[in-house]
Amino acid sequence: MSAGRHRSDEGPKVIKLKIMIDKNRNRVIFAESDHEFIDALFSFLTLPLGTVLRLLEKDMVQLGSISRVYASVYSLEPRFLRTSYCKSMLIMPRNASEVQCEKLKLNVDYSENAGKLFVCNSYSPRCKNIFSISQNTQCFRCNRLTQFDRKINEKEEKRSCRGESVVEVFLKGGAASFMITDDLQVMPASTARLTSLFGKLGVSDKSEIEAKTVEVGTDEVLQLLKFSLLSKTALTNMVLNSQGSWLKDISKYEDNQTAKLDKKTMSQNTNSMSLKLIVSKSKKKVLYAEAGVKLVDFLFSFLVFPLGAVVKHLGGNSRLGCIDNLYKGAVELSSENYIKSEECKNMLLSPKLFPHSGFDSHILEVEEEYPKYRYDDSGCIELARNTNKSEGSSIVNEEEASDLAINILDPKSPTGETIKGEGYLKGPATFMIMDNLLVTPFSPTAIITQLNQMKVSTSDVEERTVTVGKDEALNLLKASLISKTVLNDVFNIREPYPKVMLKV
Ligand SMILES: [Zn+2]
């Protein structure tokens, strides 16, 4: 396919992929594509987990225990949340790279509100700079609702290739050709890589191989997202539509991939949280846990974490389908200079949270995107380009400090003003967390029912309080993605208390 194609507004958007298939084994050997498809693949790393789960839900697909966290937030009564937007923030999180993702030829995370901020209808100068992330929240200056949307524009340096304008998202829009393996390793195409791949897969008899061109649209990319999380043969699943082998992969994954814990640590941190484990003495098993707002806020915050940030925090070892390979591919393409800019590299490899999605006392300290919006000359909102090379610094340049700057209300806060360290939940409250991370408000009646169901007598029950420091927090994150028995995996109570085990 030719490089430097521009987006056509007619007809469904598709990308053509050349696929090499091993006919004997009915498997994709690799796919060949240009930057447009790789951009769509890499955009998975920018997706918050809540978005991923929302997209998977449509297919009734569950991911580890994190799907239970999602369902818990979904059914939580509003009175437990600080504002009504806190729920939307978690189950329909916004992507800190949404303005970039809107330029993708195939964007799985289409959302009405993406790339928009909202304002009240007052023309008072007091309200001039006040914007909200969500529609119909109260403007705290005039109390009217923020009904009107304003599109965020990105000032783009135009590139062209042989007279045609090129839409670049994360990758440079050249004519480079890339190879994508079945397990989503992405690499620039070369003879050496091709022969090494054939060697690794044991493909030798050329007659076994069939070349095919497939058209990939948004639905196929959505399927690919699903398989990339649950299978090690994502392209085969997508191209050959082989649901069967994918289902086999899931059961294998449940058997083999529970978080194995092998290192002892009890970490201390000012943001440490405590968790009461309710244990059956005879079964040596965690039955459920009791926790306050701080720990549940932490669990819920997994939903706003972009996939790339999860992989980064777990040291490239999330063990989720092919996602670690995809992340590694982005690392390699960036070191080989195929990524458009330092900023794009960070969007993929250390993606930040959407502004106001996190909170200060968060133990994992995932950075929040600094709201880089400001007015442009015509009074529209513009995404200010991060020209400063130093990574991660919240840059407020002189221009932004002037009246071109805009204020974004904190949608978690009833007053719109950020209260340091406050998350999504209204405290004080106590919650019950099951082994599969289903979270419900604490109720003594529910506990009795629960114990009866588990066939545990109240005399067999013991309470153990554990501290959740950074290491335990990472373990909880990791186990939530791949295990259905998270509490028992992370807090191994078989050993003499309080041995808390670790594997990151
Ligand atoms: Zn107002």
Side-chain angles (χ1 to χ4, degrees), residues 103-340:
K103 295 186 295 182
L104 288 169
K105 184 149 181 183
L106 302 175
N107 180 17
V108 287
D109 181 24
Y110 170 79
S111 139
E112 191 78 358
N113 287 353
K116 288 177 184 166
L117 293 176
F118 299 88
V119 288
C120 66
N121 66 352
S122 153
Y123 290 100
S124 148
R126 289 196 322 140
C127 296
K128 181 178 172 266
N129 294 339
I130 308 296
F131 285 84
S132 169
I133 287 166
S134 68
Q135 199 161 24
N136 294 329
T137 47
Q138 218 165 40
C139 166
F140 76 97
R141 294 263 165 83
C142 72
N143 289 336
R144 291 185 222 204
L145 295 179
T146 54
Q147 282 175 305
F148 299 94
D149 62 69
R150 295 279 181 275
K151 192 85 186 141
I152 304 162
N153 299 309
E154 188 191 22
K155 202 179 243 175
E156 225 180 327
E157 64 279 24
K158 282 265 179 289
R159 270 177 82 101
S160 59
C161 178
R162 278 171 264 131
E164 281 186 287
S165 73
V166 177
V167 180
E168 289 184 321
V169 186
F170 304 112
L171 260 63
K172 290 177 183 163
S177 164
F178 300 92
M179 281 162 56
I180 307 122
T181 61
D182 200 11
D183 58 357
L184 302 189
Q185 298 174 51
V186 177
M187 57 196 100
S190 78
T191 310
R193 287 190 175 101
L194 196 61
T195 50
S196 132
L197 181 63
F198 273 52
K200 254 188 249 168
L201 296 175
V203 185
S204 54
D205 181 1
K206 297 285 178 288
S207 64
E208 299 174 335
I209 297 166
E210 184 192 31
K212 199 172 158 182
T213 301
V214 294
E215 291 199 335
V216 175
T218 314
D219 287 346
E220 285 77 19
V221 178
L222 203 51
Q223 291 299 306
L224 192 56
L225 170 66
K226 176 174 85 183
F227 296 128
S228 73
L229 294 157
L230 297 164
S231 149
K232 304 269 186 214
T233 56
L235 280 182
T236 299
N237 295 131
M238 180 189 80
V239 174
L240 302 173
N241 201 15
S242 56
Q243 302 274 341
S245 73
W246 162 61
L247 289 172
K248 249 187 278 157
D249 270 358
I250 289 190
S251 52
K252 231 192 294 168
Y253 146 100
E254 283 176 7
D255 292 341
N256 302 339
Q257 291 206 356
T258 45
K260 288 206 188 85
L261 310 158
D262 56 24
K263 201 173 120 198
K264 180 181 164 186
T265 318
M266 237 355 224
S267 47
Q268 293 300 325
N269 181 300
T270 45
N271 290 326
S272 295
M273 300 160 280
S274 78
L275 182 66
K276 253 189 239 168
L277 300 176
I278 312 300
V279 167
S280 156
K281 287 182 280 186
S282 64
K283 295 182 182 171
K284 295 200 183 308
K285 210 183 139 190
V286 180
L287 302 170
Y288 61 90
E290 262 176 63
V293 161
K294 200 171 169 185
L295 193 118
V296 177
D297 262 336
F298 166 72
L299 278 186
F300 285 180
S301 76
F302 293 176
L303 301 175
V304 300
F305 284 14
L307 212 41
V310 172
V311 179
K312 184 191 170 198
H313 271 78
L314 297 176
N317 185 26
S318 73
R319 299 166 81 190
L320 264 179
C322 312
I323 293 297
D324 296 337
N325 284 344
L326 196 61
Y327 186 88
K328 228 169 104 196
V331 172
E332 274 158 26
L333 289 199
S334 100
S335 72
E336 293 190 40
N337 226 356
Y338 287 97
I339 307 280
K340 196 170 85 177

Side-chain angles (χ1 to χ4, degrees), residues 32 112 129 202 292 443 503:
E32 182 190 332
E112 191 78 358
N129 294 339
S443 137
K503 157 98 189 224

Side-chain angles (χ1 to χ4, degrees), residues 67-81:
S67 289
R68 295 286 179 177
V69 176
Y70 185 89
S72 308
V73 176
Y74 192 88
S75 20
L76 192 67
E77 283 176 55
R79 65 192 168 101
F80 290 98
L81 295 158

Side-chain angles (χ1 to χ4, degrees), residues 79-99:
R79 65 192 168 101
F80 290 98
L81 295 158
R82 288 175 67 214
T83 64
S84 61
Y85 186 68
C86 288
K87 187 179 274 196
S88 328
M89 173 176 266
L90 296 165
I91 61 179
M92 289 188 286
R94 284 179 70 168
N95 182 335
S97 307
E98 62 182 17
V99 175

